[in-house]
């Protein structure tokens, strides 16, 4: 998979060179490229923003640098005739879920457009949508100062699903928001007793059937308490 990230803060993406995403790059599972939007400006101040049309507070990202940045990326596809999917983090985007991470992990090429200020001139998304699939996504009902943190989260969620990334693919099967749609059960390790808190006896019983049943019950309880919305879509929930 190839992932291009366009941002005015390339260093924000440096953490992707660490730990598992870094190893994924070393192993050739992902070709991650960051692009400084300011490299596609032509004035002395390397201006990427301007005042909002129609007035209002803040500044809007100018379309010209974005057009030139995307042109440059599209001119060097990973393979001939491969088109990217453009991902635009924005507070007004569609909620990003684990199912979306799985879907994007199957794509050959993603381009992440990280906005700042009040956002990117809408014409950039409209122009891009004439040439490639475009998705505006949100991490949740909160607002960051730009798209970089959301891009980091989306990229990590996607890379870790790539075949060959996780040493033990089985661990993906049991994850929160996994195939069963439930939150993860609580996890424990040694020592059996710590500061007056003990590992639940069932987990020390060696009875794998009881352990599996306990974990399922814990996951269902947690989901009902914290995320009843996830149960609404569960088969047999009557909804
Ligand atoms: O909360 B967010 O995911 C987000 C994404 C992009 C921009 C651009 C300016 N503020 C932003 C916030």
């Amino acid at each position: 998979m190839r992932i291009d990230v366009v941002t005015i803060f390339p260093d924000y993406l440096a953490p992707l060179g660490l730990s598992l995403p870094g190893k994924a790059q070393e192993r050739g599972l992902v070709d991650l490229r960051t692009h400084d939007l300011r490299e596609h400006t032509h004035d002395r101040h390397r201006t990427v923003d301007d005042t909002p049309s129609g007035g209002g507070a803040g500044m809007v990202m100018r379309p010209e640098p974005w057009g030139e940045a995307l042109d440059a990326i599209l001119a060097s596809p990973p393979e001939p005739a491969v088109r990217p999917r453009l991902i635009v983090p924005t507070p007004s985007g569609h909620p990003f879920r684990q199912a979306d991470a799985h879907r994007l992990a199957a794509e050959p090429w993603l381009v992440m457009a990280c906005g700042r200020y009040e956002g990117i001139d809408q014409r950039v998304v409209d122009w891009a949508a004439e040439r490639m699939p475009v998705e505006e996504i949100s991490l949740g009902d909160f607002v960051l100062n730009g798209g970089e943190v959301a891009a980091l989260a989306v990229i990590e969620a996607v890379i870790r699903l790539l075949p060959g990334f996780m040493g033990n693919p089985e661990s993906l099967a049991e994850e929160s928001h996994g195939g069963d749609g439930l939150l993860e059960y609580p996890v424990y390790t040694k020592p059996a007793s710590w500061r007056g808190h003990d590992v639940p006896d069932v987990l020390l019983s060696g009875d794998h059937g009881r352990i599996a049943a306990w974990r399922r019950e814990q996951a269902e309880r947690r989901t009902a308490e914290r995320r009843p919305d996830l149960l609404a879509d569960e088969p047999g929930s009557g909804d």
Side-chain angles (χ1 to χ4, degrees):
M1 169 183 273
R2 159 101 166 255
I3 302 177
D4 291 86
V5 184
V6 183
T7 169
I8 60 173
F9 294 122
D11 290 350
Y12 241 106
L13 284 297
L16 290 175
L18 305 173
S19 185
L20 287 175
K23 288 183 171 52
Q25 292 180 74
E26 288 166 17
R27 289 158 48 191
L29 295 178
V30 61
D31 173 7
L32 185 67
R33 306 180 185 193
T34 54
H35 307 268
D36 185 346
L37 184 68
R38 292 192 192 278
E39 296 297 318
H40 299 279
T41 61
H42 306 289
D43 64 303
R44 187 157 59 93
H45 297 294
R46 310 181 83 196
T47 308
V48 294
D49 63 323
D50 205 334
T51 53
S53 302
M59 302 292 276
V60 173
M61 299 192 96
R62 296 170 51 228
E64 299 95 328
W66 280 102
E68 292 187 24
L70 292 174
D71 285 346
I73 291 169
L74 292 170
S76 306
E79 289 173 34
V82 171
R83 282 189 317 168
R85 182 170 287 265
L86 181 67
I87 310 297
V88 186
T90 169
S92 55
H94 294 288
F96 185 75
R97 299 266 191 277
Q98 186 65 10
D100 299 306
H102 280 283
R103 176 171 55 82
L104 294 184
E107 291 288 334
W109 188 12
L110 301 178
V111 175
M112 311 286 301
C114 298
R116 280 273 154 174
Y117 308 103
E118 298 306 311
I120 304 170
D121 186 303
Q122 181 61 38
R123 290 170 292 177
V124 174
V125 166
D126 297 343
W127 170 86
E130 295 167 352
R131 290 158 179 80
M132 69 196 87
V134 178
E135 294 186 31
E136 296 185 68
I137 58 108
S138 165
L139 290 192
D141 295 335
F142 56 90
V143 182
L144 301 167
N145 285 330
E148 287 80 7
V149 168
L152 278 170
V154 169
I155 291 168
E156 174 159 323
V158 169
I159 286 181
R160 64 192 301 279
L161 297 176
L162 295 178
F165 176 80
M166 295 288 273
N168 173 14
E170 282 181 26
S171 60
L172 291 176
E174 288 199 349
E175 287 192 321
S176 272
H177 306 279
D180 63 4
L182 298 176
L183 300 182
E184 219 157 40
Y185 48 77
V187 293
Y188 300 82
T189 185
K190 304 177 189 62
S193 188
W194 176 76
R195 295 188 179 184
H197 295 266
D198 298 343
V199 172
D201 290 339
V202 63
L203 298 181
L204 306 177
S205 69
D207 182 332
H208 297 297
R210 280 186 60 213
I211 291 169
W214 180 86
R215 285 173 167 170
R216 175 79 188 189
E217 187 273 332
Q218 290 292 313
E220 289 170 348
R221 176 184 305 181
R222 262 188 173 184
T223 307
E225 288 169 357
R226 301 177 187 180
R227 290 294 305 276
D229 58 295
L230 294 178
L231 292 177
D233 299 331
E234 273 289 283
S237 65
D239 292 78

